[in-house]
Amino acid sequence: MKTTSNPQDTLAESLNGIYLVDAGAGTGKTHTIIRRYQNIIESGVSPADILLITFTRNAADQLKESAMVNISEKVNITEILEAPILNFHALCARILKNSGSKSAKYLGIDEEVTSNFTIIENFGFENEVFRKFFLMFKNKTYDKYEEIYLGLNNKHEAVLRIIKFLATRGIFPTKDGWFNEAGNLFNGRMEDYNLRFDELNEPAFVKNDKSGTKEKQNDFYKKIRDAASRSFYLSFDINSLLTENRVNPEYKEEIFNDDTQSLLIEFTRDIYWSYIEFMLKKNYLNFEFIVMLAFLTLYYDEKVRNHYQYEYSMVDEFQDTDEIQFQLLMLMIKDSGGKANLAVVGDWKQGIFGFRNTTIENIMEFENRLKKYKGLLNKDKSRITYDVDNVNKISFEYNYRSSQTILNFSKETLKTEAKKDEQADFETTEQRFGQILKARRELDDLTDIQFYQSEESEKAEIDIVFRKISELINEKKYVCREFDKEGKVKDERPLRYSDICVLSRTNNFCLKLQKEGLQRNIPVNFGGWLELFSSDQAILVLAWLRLMMNENNAEALVPILEKEEYNFPEIRKIISGLKDKATLFTNIPEDIIKFRNRLCGIKENLLRVTETILNRYGFNNNVSSALLNEIDGWIKTDLISLGELIRLIDSSKKDTYEIDINRTREAVITQTVHSAKGLEYPVIILSNMNQSLFPNTRSNTNEIFYLPVPGLRFRKKFETKDDYSLICNNWKSDVLIKMFKPDNYDEERRLLYVAVTRAKQYLYFTSFRPSQFFKHLAELTGKEPIKDFQYEVVAKKKKIINLTETVPAPQLIKPSPEFHSVHDLMNEKITGASDISEAKAVYRASTEAMDHGVMIHQLAHRLANKVKVDSDNEEIKKLKKFISKLRANKLRTEVDFLYPKDDKVIRGTIDLIAFYDDRIEVIDYKTDRNKKYLEKYKIQVGIYKDVIKNIYKDKAVTGKIYFIGLDEVLSV
DNA sequence: TAACGGAAAATTTTT
DNA sequence: TTTTCCGTTA
């Protein structure tokens, strides 16, 4: 009998049944999966019956490649090539294309899923698509969901985010309810709430020498007190929640019961459902909907389900799956005589994609979830027939990457305090962690862990990083030891640049390192993703496009003039001289006007426009071609106008793209911890361990959020009291967030674990403003941070040999100066209405005006360019007539202005300016059907007049308000 | 030592 | 907008 002392062997050789495999960092996971795959084939199973799922395309390709090496004689290569070795989304897309054309009907949607749908990959793009849909939907349903729209204040992105979130949780809308009655989840669980409330609100005591113990403020009280001092709720005094040292229990019930919740649930269902329908009509799908529709197909269509069921299934990186993917997987497992053959392999300690809705509970609660989902999937009909009670657990014990010193150290990372005196359950963590992996590589004579603290500036920290790199490269004591497959020492050699990886929590720091490396002649490659539309190339493209739209756009001129190397006083002069452009003279350099005119001449071809702009500056590298590529993609869809392109670039600034700006062969690599997952290096320098960066403290709560205990909630509320009304936070939601939103520090700690376990031999930490992680980790391991590290930064060789020319790192966008809108200035949020209905009416008028403004903007632009406007819309006809009757010398529409006042810059847009011989007239359109709020509008136009008066000091300035609906003009 | 409040600084990425 | 750090006060 063969003894299998090694758990890796156990997995590779046990083929039948359900296996949950805890495969820590560097335990040879992929290798074992391939061995197991080959063993299954050896046992006579066809590759077509073995499902192998990973999370990324790359990983799937690699697995497929490895599977073809040492292939069994029983199969041929073509069989492997066609085998289902892929990632979740590719699998779902395949199901949809082959068998999913009717899948939307399960939600009560008539639209078909065509086989040539376009997948929207880019959030910025989808957000734009969604914006258009949202405005349409809002118009149609305003009266029904007025409460929501008033609170939402056109923040459509919040709605899109909650839709995508719900889809990954397996919560889908149907025409008149929710799939699998998931809507029941939304009302929350009051009993759990009550328990939590009591638990949080238990009295806390402090020991006192004189009188024994004394009650002090409990943590719940402190949180509310904090909110009370910083938040403002118009119709509720949150101080009333505070009794002595505790939260007033009289409010217990009231906090949970929110009478707008049911409307929010219905709104969410309605817009979610309609959006799916809208996307299908446009032949679009996003990744969430692909999985959703594939799941529904398998769920409802027995034939298709049987077709896609596999005898053997394996999933790699199981900690990166979300809830719906787990369920989808269960539907694809074939019942083999009442048993399932499934192996999921992963490591909860490396679950770092929570923001993408992946959940490590899929591993930690694996057995429970199997049972729970089996029940869910069998709710109305038997779908899962195999037994899920018997789960075999395997834990890999050996590590083939790091020194034992580093492995021992890695355990500390999960017990590191993220903030001072953090109360976290580190005991449970300790238990879960289990045994420390045993090193199978003899490296402990060549290993080191140190902490370096620089002076308090980012530049000083970057200095330290480069000093350390120089030391590592030039000092003989640092040696890289390499091993062969059997674990025998193959080579010992000095360190090379490419042995070193500088990790950071943020992309930004990596980019700075890369740039600095160029200046110091130390080769550094950036291995992360780029905010393409925040690069200086994109900023210039956007600036020129804006200038094409409006030649007096100061915001557009600034980056252009900066690039032409005008200094600040000169730029200010030119911008303040924009007034003359409207008449005869201008300070704008002639060259810029000429180039703008040239661009306007080819504006029918926006791709050429972009190309021309990039050529002007000689931009010709990976960044510029990525820009052209992406814009080309947009133009080929239906979003083609200049205005829309500008909007799209604007909303894509935060989207990241994988762009290769690495051009040097032998270089230090710098990347984010997230992107380094799965990689290994002899040296890891974990940099930028600074306060508020790592651990990161930012936590955005969506305006609409879902948490299991409180259910679906809305953070905003349109509140009215006495003479005022404004959009406030919903105080009940705020309290519930404080009660139930989990700290995400556990995930930050796992990120720390991932970073540390990348290192084979040498591990260093750097910081200039030490975060709690840096401090506490040094403390836990008894290391004193080195504060006076010196080493001369020298490149190893004088000249770095590059494969091709070095591409400079793209500049990041500069922080823009503080701008204030006219609306800020008017303090528009506070209206002078005296009752709720009136206040709502004011608000409705102003938000409607916003929607309308989009239309008017385009229209005004077209009229100014004498483009024919086809519309039967009464208002547009009236507007046309109104404009033609003005008989001015010159008209300017949608004039953006920047107007310095005190220490602020006011930004605004004037609908229309008419120039006459003796005067200038400022005109503002209003779509209201009455003149109730005339006084308010007068203030607004008054500000516009001030602005214009200040620019044209020698001319009279008049103002008019044109109520389009009433067809009435009023002088102001 | 508890309580308060001002200052400072703020993200990750795959499909 | 939200959160932590940290100095001041009682």
Side-chain angles (χ1 to χ4, degrees):
Chain A
M1 204 181 98
K2 193 178 173 185
T3 53
T4 51
S5 58
N6 188 338
Q8 268 100 332
D9 297 336
T10 313
L11 177 66
E13 287 157 21
S14 324
L15 308 183
N16 297 318
I18 301 179
Y19 291 86
L20 171 64
V21 186
D22 176 22
T27 50
K29 185 176 49 134
T30 309
H31 179 69
T32 314
I33 287 176
I34 289 300
R35 269 176 65 203
R36 188 173 195 264
Y37 187 84
Q38 287 167 340
N39 284 342
I40 297 171
I41 288 177
E42 210 56 49
S43 76
V45 181
S46 153
D49 285 328
I50 313 169
L51 178 64
L52 185 44
I53 299 183
T54 62
F55 204 74
T56 68
R57 244 180 247 159
N58 274 346
D61 289 347
Q62 270 175 30
L63 276 182
K64 203 170 247 188
E65 229 169 77
S66 313
M68 285 188 284
V69 182
N70 301 326
I71 195 175
S72 158
E73 282 170 12
K74 295 184 179 171
V75 296
N76 58 47
I77 296 232
T78 344
E79 277 182 90
I80 301 273
L81 277 174
E82 284 167 8
I85 303 178
L86 24 66
N87 61 57
F88 265 110
H89 290 90
L91 176 64
C92 292
R94 187 187 282 186
I95 295 171
L96 273 192
K97 283 184 179 172
N98 293 338
S99 330
S101 66
K102 302 272 186 230
S103 55
K105 78 171 180 213
Y106 303 120
L107 301 175
I109 295 171
D110 287 334
E111 295 297 324
E112 281 208 5
V113 180
T114 64
S115 58
N116 63 341
F117 54 78
T118 305
I119 302 175
I120 303 184
E121 300 192 9
N122 175 296
F123 185 80
F125 188 92
E126 182 173 5
N127 202 23
E128 248 334 89
V129 172
F130 186 78
R131 188 183 65 86
K132 289 185 173 177
F133 158 77
F134 179 82
L135 291 177
M136 246 164 53
F137 185 81
K138 182 179 165 186
N139 270 336
K140 224 166 58 188
T141 59
Y142 189 88
D143 291 333
K144 196 168 166 195
Y145 304 123
E146 186 178 37
E147 295 280 325
I148 311 281
Y149 289 122
L150 285 170
L152 207 51
N153 197 19
N154 269 350
K155 294 210 179 84
H156 57 272
E157 198 180 306
V159 184
L160 179 58
R161 284 189 190 279
I162 190 75
I163 288 175
K164 287 162 89 86
F165 168 78
L166 293 175
T168 60
R169 297 287 291 240
I171 300 174
F172 313 138
T174 60
K175 193 159 190 176
D176 38 28
W178 294 89
F179 167 73
N180 247 347
E181 288 154 52
N184 294 338
L185 302 169
F186 290 148
N187 294 312
R189 308 195 294 250
M190 188 152 190
E191 269 174 39
D192 291 339
Y193 163 80
N194 285 334
L195 289 172
R196 177 80 175 154
F197 187 97
D198 296 341
E199 181 194 322
L200 283 173
N201 209 27
E202 267 178 24
F205 295 98
V206 61
K207 273 186 192 147
N208 190 314
D209 287 344
K210 292 167 202 163
S211 55
T213 53
K214 195 183 134 197
E215 191 175 347
K216 64 168 186 176
Q217 298 177 353
N218 65 26
D219 286 350
F220 192 22
Y221 178 99
K222 281 184 190 166
K223 281 184 176 177
I224 302 299
R225 189 199 64 200
D226 192 58
S229 69
R230 291 165 209 268
S231 319
F232 172 69
Y233 308 97
L234 190 57
S235 57
F236 180 72
D237 179 11
I238 195 163
N239 281 303
S240 61
L241 283 181
L242 301 173
T243 54
E244 207 157 308
N245 298 324
R246 268 183 267 179
V247 175
N248 189 350
E250 283 173 27
Y251 283 92
K252 188 166 148 184
E253 209 180 315
E254 195 181 338
I255 291 168
F256 190 80
N257 293 320
D258 186 337
D259 52 17
T260 58
Q261 195 183 22
S262 58
L263 185 69
L264 176 70
I265 295 170
E266 177 52 19
F267 166 76
T268 307
R269 192 204 57 75
D270 199 354
I271 195 163
Y272 186 175
W273 188 88
S274 305
Y275 182 51
I276 299 169
E277 188 188 37
F278 174 85
M279 290 278 269
L280 290 172
K281 265 189 193 141
K282 290 226 152 204
N283 208 13
Y284 283 146
L285 280 176
N286 59 26
F287 291 114
E288 290 80 8
F289 293 171
I290 287 177
V291 179
M292 173 179 76
L293 293 170
F295 172 84
L296 289 168
T297 307
L298 295 181
Y299 184 87
Y300 283 110
D301 192 328
E302 200 177 342
K303 255 192 197 162
V304 178
R305 187 164 67 241
N306 287 334
H307 181 257
Y308 281 100
Q309 280 180 341
Y310 299 90
E311 227 170 293
Y312 290 85
S313 307
M314 284 193 264
V315 186
D316 195 7
E317 307 282 8
F318 197 64
Q319 75 282 351
D320 289 338
T321 52
D322 59 38
E323 294 191 33
I324 190 63
Q325 286 167 342
F326 194 142
Q327 295 178 44
L328 186 91
L329 173 69
M330 288 183 72
L331 289 174
M332 302 187 73
I333 294 169
K334 195 177 264 178
D335 184 334
S336 304
K339 301 273 180 215
N341 299 321
L342 166 72
V344 300
V345 184
D347 179 9
W348 64 269
K349 301 187 288 309
Q350 294 186 68
I352 54 174
F353 291 103
F355 61 91
R356 223 177 48 205
N357 304 324
T358 64
T359 152
I360 58 168
E361 277 74 28
N362 276 359
I363 286 189
M364 304 222 282
E365 302 286 318
F366 183 70
E367 290 170 280
N368 288 339
R369 288 210 162 176
L370 271 177
K371 285 176 202 153
K372 180 180 146 191
Y373 291 147
K374 181 173 175 176
L376 211 59
L377 294 168
N378 286 342
K379 207 168 183 182
D380 55 327
K381 181 177 167 195
S382 175
R383 294 184 179 86
I384 308 292
T385 50
Y386 50 81
D387 171 43
V388 296
D389 293 325
N390 219 336
V391 174
N392 304 290
K393 289 179 194 162
I394 296 178
S395 284
F396 288 179
E397 291 170 12
Y398 302 111
N399 174 289
Y400 303 92
R401 176 185 295 160
S402 309
S403 70
Q404 192 64 52
T405 309
I406 287 173
L407 292 173
N408 293 345
F409 179 84
S410 73
K411 189 167 183 178
E412 304 302 328
T413 59
L414 295 181
K415 298 186 290 180
T416 307
E417 282 172 7
K419 56 185 175 187
K420 230 176 180 178
D421 308 315
E422 189 189 10
Q423 306 284 323
D425 187 3
F426 291 136
E427 254 173 58
T428 311
T429 308
E430 174 109 34
Q431 281 171 15
R432 269 200 205 119
F433 193 101
Q435 293 289 308
I436 294 176
L437 296 172
K438 295 180 193 104
R440 274 294 171 99
R441 295 290 179 255
E442 186 46 63
L443 289 167
D444 284 279
D445 53 327
L446 290 174
T447 192
D448 191 21
I449 300 173
Q450 292 296 343
F451 294 80
Y452 294 90
Q453 186 177 340
S454 75
E455 287 166 34
E456 202 170 318
S457 84
E458 190 176 60
K459 204 170 174 316
E461 190 190 339
I462 290 176
D463 256 352
I464 291 225
V465 172
F466 282 110
R467 276 181 229 161
K468 189 70 204 178
I469 291 170
S470 276
E471 194 207 4
L472 287 161
I473 294 294
N474 290 300
E475 293 298 311
K476 286 201 178 100
K477 65 171 174 174
Y478 298 107
V479 172
C480 174
R481 183 176 287 158
E482 291 178 329
F483 300 86
D484 65 13
K485 265 190 182 172
E486 275 70 44
K488 300 228 171 67
V489 177
K490 195 172 73 183
D491 192 17
E492 283 189 6
R493 55 167 179 80
L495 288 175
R496 297 196 279 252
Y497 284 126
S498 56
D499 294 326
I500 303 170
C501 174
V502 185
L503 292 178
S504 157
R505 179 70 175 80
T506 63
N507 260 315
N508 204 317
F509 193 85
C510 297
L511 274 169
K512 282 180 184 155
L513 270 175
Q514 203 234 5
K515 229 177 102 186
E516 281 290 313
L518 281 173
Q519 285 182 7
R520 290 160 201 258
N521 219 17
I522 304 270
V524 178
N525 284 345
F526 173 65
W529 291 48
L530 273 186
E531 287 177 0
L532 180 59
F533 290 96
S534 294
S535 67
D536 63 343
Q537 308 196 9
I539 288 166
L540 283 165
V541 168
L542 182 60
W544 281 107
L545 294 175
R546 284 200 170 129
L547 206 64
M548 286 169 71
M549 217 37 187
N550 174 359
E551 60 191 308
N552 289 334
N553 187 327
E555 260 182 283
L557 268 169
V558 173
I560 292 169
L561 292 168
E562 269 180 354
K563 183 74 185 174
E564 307 282 327
E565 290 180 354
Y566 286 82
N567 63 30
F568 184 65
E570 288 167 340
I571 292 173
R572 196 166 48 191
K573 198 176 158 212
I574 293 171
I575 302 245
S576 66
L578 286 178
K579 57 176 182 180
D580 295 323
K581 179 66 195 134
T583 52
L584 276 173
F585 307 103
T586 178
N587 289 332
I588 301 175
E590 199 179 325
D591 170 56
I592 287 178
I593 296 180
K594 264 193 190 158
F595 189 68
R596 177 193 177 262
N597 292 341
R598 206 177 122 202
L599 293 177
C600 288
I602 51 169
K603 73 175 175 191
E604 300 312 314
N605 186 344
L606 289 172
L607 191 65
R608 227 181 110 203
V609 168
T610 312
E611 219 173 352
T612 312
I613 297 167
L614 292 169
N615 284 341
R616 175 185 169 93
Y617 301 103
F619 289 138
N620 182 16
N621 54 29
N622 291 1
V623 175
S624 46
S625 55
L627 267 177
L628 283 168
N629 204 14
E630 190 64 19
I631 291 175
D632 185 36
W634 293 344
I635 289 170
K636 279 180 183 152
T637 70
D638 56 348
L639 298 158
I640 43 157
S641 80
L642 177 59
E644 281 163 330
L645 183 58
I646 289 172
R647 266 200 100 95
L648 205 43
I649 293 178
D650 234 354
S651 63
S652 299
K653 280 189 175 149
K654 282 274 131 196
D655 287 341
T656 49
Y657 295 78
E658 194 173 16
I659 295 158
D660 187 13
I661 54 167
N662 314 335
R663 288 301 180 87
T664 321
R665 182 190 281 162
E666 179 54 43
V668 173
I669 186 156
T670 178
Q671 58 193 147
T672 62
V673 183
H674 281 94
S675 64
K677 211 181 137 219
L679 305 176
E680 56 179 36
Y681 298 91
V683 185
I684 289 290
I685 301 177
L686 181 48
S687 63
N688 203 15
M689 293 200 65
N690 297 313
Q691 245 177 54
S692 63
L693 280 161
F694 193 23
N696 192 279
T697 56
R698 187 159 165 181
S699 65
N700 280 334
T701 310
N702 201 354
E703 277 85 350
I704 301 169
F705 64 94
Y706 169 77
L707 290 168
V709 178
L712 194 72
R713 301 272 170 171
F714 195 23
R715 284 202 82 181
K716 299 290 172 183
K717 198 170 192 272
F718 186 81
E719 293 190 14
T720 305
K721 195 193 179 195
D722 303 330
D723 286 346
Y724 297 103
S725 54
L726 71 152
I727 299 167
C728 289
N729 273 4
N730 178 343
W731 67 272
K732 295 177 184 180
S733 296
D734 279 4
V735 174
L736 289 165
I737 286 169
K738 290 190 193 307
M739 291 176 71
F740 291 101
K741 195 176 179 192
D743 276 347
N744 58 355
Y745 291 125
D746 280 337
E747 186 156 313
E748 294 290 308
R749 276 184 277 271
R750 292 197 292 273
L751 207 48
L752 189 58
Y753 176 82
V754 169
V756 164
T757 52
R758 299 310 95 199
K760 292 177 167 178
Q761 296 173 244
Y762 303 101
L763 174 61
Y764 303 105
F765 299 86
T766 70
S767 167
F768 70 86
R769 197 179 57 224
S771 69
Q772 203 47 236
F773 271 1
F774 185 90
K775 291 189 214 164
H776 196 222
L777 204 53
E779 196 183 294
L780 273 177
T781 50
K783 302 258 178 183
E784 193 63 39
I786 298 165
K787 290 183 180 168
D788 54 357
F789 177 66
Q790 293 297 333
Y791 198 88
E792 197 192 342
V793 180
V794 274
K796 199 179 180 192
K797 293 168 208 156
K798 278 239 158 124
K799 203 171 167 229
I800 301 158
I801 302 153
N802 290 342
L803 282 179
T804 59
E805 60 160 327
T806 308
V807 179
Q811 302 278 321
L812 290 181
I813 190 168
K814 289 177 193 155
S816 42
E818 200 180 319
F819 290 108
H820 292 261
S821 72
V822 176
H823 288 179
D824 291 345
L825 220 66
M826 293 159 60
N827 204 0
E828 196 223 28
K829 279 182 177 172
I830 296 185
T831 62
S834 56
D835 62 49
I836 296 178
S837 61
E838 207 177 324
K840 283 179 178 172
V842 176
Y843 213 82
R844 178 173 182 175
S846 70
T847 51
E848 269 193 352
M850 259 165 90
D851 302 350
H852 215 69
V854 178
M855 198 176 84
I856 296 288
H857 183 103
Q858 284 176 353
L859 173 75
H861 174 67
R862 283 181 192 167
L863 286 173
N865 284 285
K866 299 200 168 105
V867 176
K868 224 177 131 191
V869 177
D870 296 320
S871 178
D872 291 335
N873 186 308
E874 275 307 309
E875 290 185 315
I876 291 173
K877 280 185 192 163
K878 284 179 192 165
L879 192 62
K880 232 193 237 177
K881 211 167 143 196
F882 171 76
I883 290 172
S884 70
K885 275 207 289 194
L886 284 173
R887 304 204 191 286
N889 298 342
K890 186 168 179 154
L891 288 177
R892 308 217 59 84
T893 55
E894 292 292 316
V895 179
D896 294 326
F897 64 82
L898 287 179
Y899 175 54
K901 192 181 180 191
D902 307 327
D903 54 341
K904 296 173 199 158
V905 180
I906 303 161
R907 175 167 57 184
T909 307
I910 302 175
D911 288 343
L912 187 64
I913 306 180
F915 295 88
Y916 297 94
D917 290 338
D918 56 332
R919 67 190 170 91
I920 299 169
E921 191 158 75
V922 178
I923 298 158
D924 204 61
Y925 312 130
K926 291 294 168 199
T927 50
D928 302 19
R929 298 272 165 187
N930 60 55
K931 288 179 284 181
K932 235 181 195 169
Y933 308 106
L934 185 59
E935 288 311 309
K936 196 182 130 208
Y937 298 146
K938 278 183 179 171
I939 298 171
Q940 184 187 358
V941 175
I943 292 171
Y944 292 162
K945 272 169 67 183
D946 279 350
V947 171
I948 299 297
K949 234 181 242 167
N950 236 289
I951 297 171
Y952 300 89
K953 291 202 170 76
D954 50 343
K955 282 207 176 184
V957 180
T958 55
K960 269 183 187 160
I961 297 173
Y962 176 43
F963 286 90
I964 304 172
L966 304 169
D967 202 13
E968 199 175 323
V969 185
L970 290 169
S971 291
V972 179

